[in-house]
């Protein structure tokens, strides 16, 4: 078999080699496939970068040749081996199986035409074993194909996520809300607290002014006394699990489990202000994998937007706790309703979110006002 003429499928370069078992149990019977006289055989698979279309001139290669001492003693297309789970993936596979015991004259497994083996317990058991190995390799290929498709879907979702991050930053929604919660005047991206940021406050990065007298000195609310300066707290860095890079560099990305919360944080993410939207929850995957919706649908974009609302509410509750240790259930319910309504009202009144939430095809972004384009993730620029 001229395997060197075919470029292998990426990630499955092979060859994939397996020893034929000395004994195979099939149909409740132990079948001997090696003996003192006939050594163990070997099964070898290769892959092709291009599928063996059943109608092209390479179709005959998409098979498993059975070899003996005298050469090819039988050849089987994939569907002739037995039940195949991923027929589309097996179109990339070909191979050969060397099994000397098949030429034992006492068993008469070899036909004169050498196209197929004589049917016997031995040949049936061997073909079933080969079929199992083909299915194992095809399963791995299918899993990789699904993962590649999943990654491509999440890359598009990452663009949507960047869109929402930009909207939060450009609209300064979180800054205004945080200033309201803190009781401050709302100047500067860091909201200088009731001290108004003080004299000379940097309104671009939220640094508290040098002379601010009454601003909250914790968590970068601005203000401060004397020469103290603290950076303002920006809206958290929201990322997609199983896709976006880890800004802390601990792992390439954070891979969530379906059982993790809808919005996930590691311990180290809390102080860093990082949140991960869990893309692996059953509901999230159901939307993306649905034939009626999918990863580009408004349904999926709305799901992501709802996770942003979760994060806004969670952050706001933490701010409320700092300022009111006597929170009651009734007060908390009222605040949660009020905060969620504020986000939805802001979204409804902002034309930059129209295409994101209501149009099947996105055609604008909050940053350029024109055709949507995906840009690399980086540090947000200062808000003018």
């Amino acid at each position: 078999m001229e395997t060197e003429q075919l470029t292998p499928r990426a990630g499955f370069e092979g060859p994939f080699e397996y020893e034929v078992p000395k004994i195979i149990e099939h149909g409740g019977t132990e079948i001997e496939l090696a003996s003192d006289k006939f050594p163990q055989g070997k099964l070898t698979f290769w892959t092709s970068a291009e599928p063996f279309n059943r109608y092209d001139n390479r179709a005959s290669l998409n098979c498993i040749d059975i070899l003996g001492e005298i050469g090819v003693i039988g050849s089987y297309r994939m569907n002739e081996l037995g039940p195949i789970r991923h027929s589309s993936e097996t179109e990339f596979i070909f191979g050969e199986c060397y099994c000397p015991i098949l030429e034992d004259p006492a068993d008469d497994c070899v036909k004169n035409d050498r196209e197929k083996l004589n049917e016997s317990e031995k040949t049936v058991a061997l073909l079933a074993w080969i079929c199992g190995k083909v299915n194992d390799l095809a399963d791995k290929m299918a899993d990789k194909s699904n993962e590649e498709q999943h990654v491509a879907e999440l890359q598009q979702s990452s663009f949507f996520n960047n869109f929402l991050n930009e909207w939060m930053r450009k609209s300064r929604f979180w800054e205004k809300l945080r200033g309201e919660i803190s009781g401050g005047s709302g100047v500067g991206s860091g909201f200088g607290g009731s001290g108004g940021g003080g004299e000379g406050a940097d309104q671009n990065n939220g640094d508290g002014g040098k002379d601010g007298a009454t601003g909250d000195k914790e968590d970068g609310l601005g203000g401060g006394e004397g020469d103290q300066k603290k950076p303002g707290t920006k809206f958290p860095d929201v990322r997609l699990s199983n896709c976006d890079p880890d800004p802390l560099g601990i792992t390439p990305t954070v891979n969530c489990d379906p059982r993790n919360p809808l919005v996930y944080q590691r311990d180290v993410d809390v102080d860093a202000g990082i949140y991960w939207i869990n893309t692996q929850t059953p509901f999230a995957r159901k939307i993306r994998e649905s034939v009626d919706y999918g990863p580009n649908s408004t349904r999926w974009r709305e799901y992501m937007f709802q996770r942003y609302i979760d994060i806004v509410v969670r952050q706001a509750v933490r701010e409320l706790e700092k300022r009111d240790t006597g929170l009651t259930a009734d007060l908390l319910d009222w605040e949660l309703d009020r905060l969620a309504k504020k986000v939805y009202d802001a979204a409804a009144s902002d034309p930059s979110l129209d295409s994101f939430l209501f149009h099947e095809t996105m055609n604008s972004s909050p940053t350029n006002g024109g055709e949507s384009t995906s840009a690399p993730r980086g540090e947000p620029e200062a808000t003018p």
Side-chain angles (χ1 to χ4, degrees), residues 16-32:
F16 301 90
E17 299 181 330
Y18 314 87
E19 277 194 335
V20 177
K22 293 181 179 180
I23 295 176
I24 291 180
E25 185 172 333
H26 184 74
T29 304
E30 290 188 345
I31 311 298
E32 187 179 58

Side-chain angles (χ1 to χ4, degrees), residues 215-333:
D216 188 338
K217 292 179 289 183
E218 295 182 359
D219 299 319
L221 281 175
E225 300 175 3
D227 294 328
Q228 293 179 345
K229 294 177 66 179
K230 284 186 176 289
T233 300
K234 302 174 183 177
F235 186 73
D237 185 359
V238 183
R239 303 262 171 160
L240 291 185
S241 78
N242 302 69
C243 175
D244 287 336
D246 180 1
L248 301 182
I250 298 172
T251 58
T253 186
V254 170
N255 291 323
C256 283
D257 185 273
R259 294 162 293 188
N260 288 131
L262 299 181
V263 175
Y264 175 75
Q265 281 186 300
R266 302 167 294 179
D267 290 340
V268 293
D269 293 330
V270 176
D271 290 338
I274 299 167
Y275 284 89
W276 298 89
I277 295 177
N278 185 355
T279 63
Q280 303 303 301
T281 63
F283 194 76
R285 296 203 67 153
K286 189 175 183 65
I287 295 175
R288 293 201 310 276
E289 295 169 3
S290 168
V291 295
D292 296 322
Y293 300 109
N296 296 321
S297 65
T298 54
R299 182 68 175 271
W300 174 240
R301 286 176 245 154
E302 182 184 8
Y303 178 87
M304 295 178 64
F305 182 67
Q306 288 170 344
R307 302 291 73 77
Y308 269 73
I309 294 177
D310 294 344
I311 293 168
V312 166
V313 169
R314 186 178 299 187
Q315 288 287 109
V317 168
R318 288 175 177 171
E319 295 297 324
L320 287 168
E321 183 186 29
K322 294 175 184 177
R323 289 156 182 77
D324 187 353
T325 57
L327 279 178
T328 65
D330 287 341
L331 180 59
L332 187 58
D333 281 347

Side-chain angles (χ1 to χ4, degrees), residues 38-318:
F38 297 98
Q40 275 183 270
K42 183 174 74 172
L43 172 65
T44 306
F45 292 145
W46 294 272
T47 65
S48 169
E50 298 296 327
F52 297 107
N53 188 293
R54 69 186 65 182
Y55 303 112
D56 67 18
N57 56 8
R58 301 189 315 153
S60 60
L61 296 177
N62 187 207
C63 65
I64 304 297
D65 288 335
I66 310 298
L67 307 182
E69 292 294 337
I70 59 176
V72 178
I73 57 177
S75 187
Y76 290 84
R77 298 295 298 269
M78 297 299 168
N79 64 330
E80 295 174 327
L81 295 170
I84 295 295
R85 288 192 290 269
H86 299 285
S87 58
S88 61
E89 299 295 348
T90 62
E91 292 181 3
F92 295 84
I93 300 172
F94 62 106
E96 61 187 27
C97 181
Y98 174 59
C99 190
I101 202 171
L102 296 176
E103 294 182 288
D104 184 351
D107 286 332
D108 193 27
C109 293
V110 182
K111 289 184 177 181
N112 291 334
D113 59 13
R114 294 185 174 84
E115 291 184 3
K116 296 287 187 289
L117 299 171
N118 279 318
E119 188 169 320
S120 66
E121 286 186 337
K122 190 168 294 184
T123 58
V124 169
L126 177 65
L127 294 178
W129 177 79
I130 294 173
C131 183
K133 293 302 181 185
V134 168
N135 277 328
D136 289 346
L137 179 56
D139 285 347
K140 293 175 182 177
M141 295 167 74
D143 287 344
K144 189 171 189 297
S145 295
N146 290 337
E147 183 60 29
E148 289 171 350
Q149 180 180 356
H150 178 63
V151 168
E153 291 173 356
L154 288 182
Q155 286 174 345
Q156 176 62 35
S157 297
S158 185
F159 164 65
F160 293 154
N161 187 55
N162 291 346
F163 185 102
L164 289 173
N165 265 303
E166 281 289 279
W167 178 73
M168 280 289 179
R169 183 173 68 85
K170 289 290 186 181
S171 68
R172 301 180 66 161
F173 175 82
W174 167 244
E175 298 162 10
K176 296 170 186 174
L177 183 61
R178 196 170 190 273
E180 176 188 317
I181 293 171
S182 68
S185 61
V187 282
S189 63
F191 290 94
S194 58
E199 183 180 334
D202 184 342
Q203 296 190 7
N204 285 338
N205 64 15
D207 285 351
K210 294 197 309 184
D211 300 325
T214 58
D216 188 338
K217 292 179 289 183
E218 295 182 359
D219 299 319
L221 281 175
E225 300 175 3
D227 294 328
Q228 293 179 345
K229 294 177 66 179
K230 284 186 176 289
T233 300
K234 302 174 183 177
F235 186 73
D237 185 359
V238 183
R239 303 262 171 160
L240 291 185
S241 78
N242 302 69
C243 175
D244 287 336
D246 180 1
L248 301 182
I250 298 172
T251 58
T253 186
V254 170
N255 291 323
C256 283
D257 185 273
R259 294 162 293 188
N260 288 131
L262 299 181
V263 175
Y264 175 75
Q265 281 186 300
R266 302 167 294 179
D267 290 340
V268 293
D269 293 330
V270 176
D271 290 338
I274 299 167
Y275 284 89
W276 298 89
I277 295 177
N278 185 355
T279 63
Q280 303 303 301
T281 63
F283 194 76
R285 296 203 67 153
K286 189 175 183 65
I287 295 175
R288 293 201 310 276
E289 295 169 3
S290 168
V291 295
D292 296 322
Y293 300 109
N296 296 321
S297 65
T298 54
R299 182 68 175 271
W300 174 240
R301 286 176 245 154
E302 182 184 8
Y303 178 87
M304 295 178 64
F305 182 67
Q306 288 170 344
R307 302 291 73 77
Y308 269 73
I309 294 177
D310 294 344
I311 293 168
V312 166
V313 169
R314 186 178 299 187
Q315 288 287 109
V317 168
R318 288 175 177 171

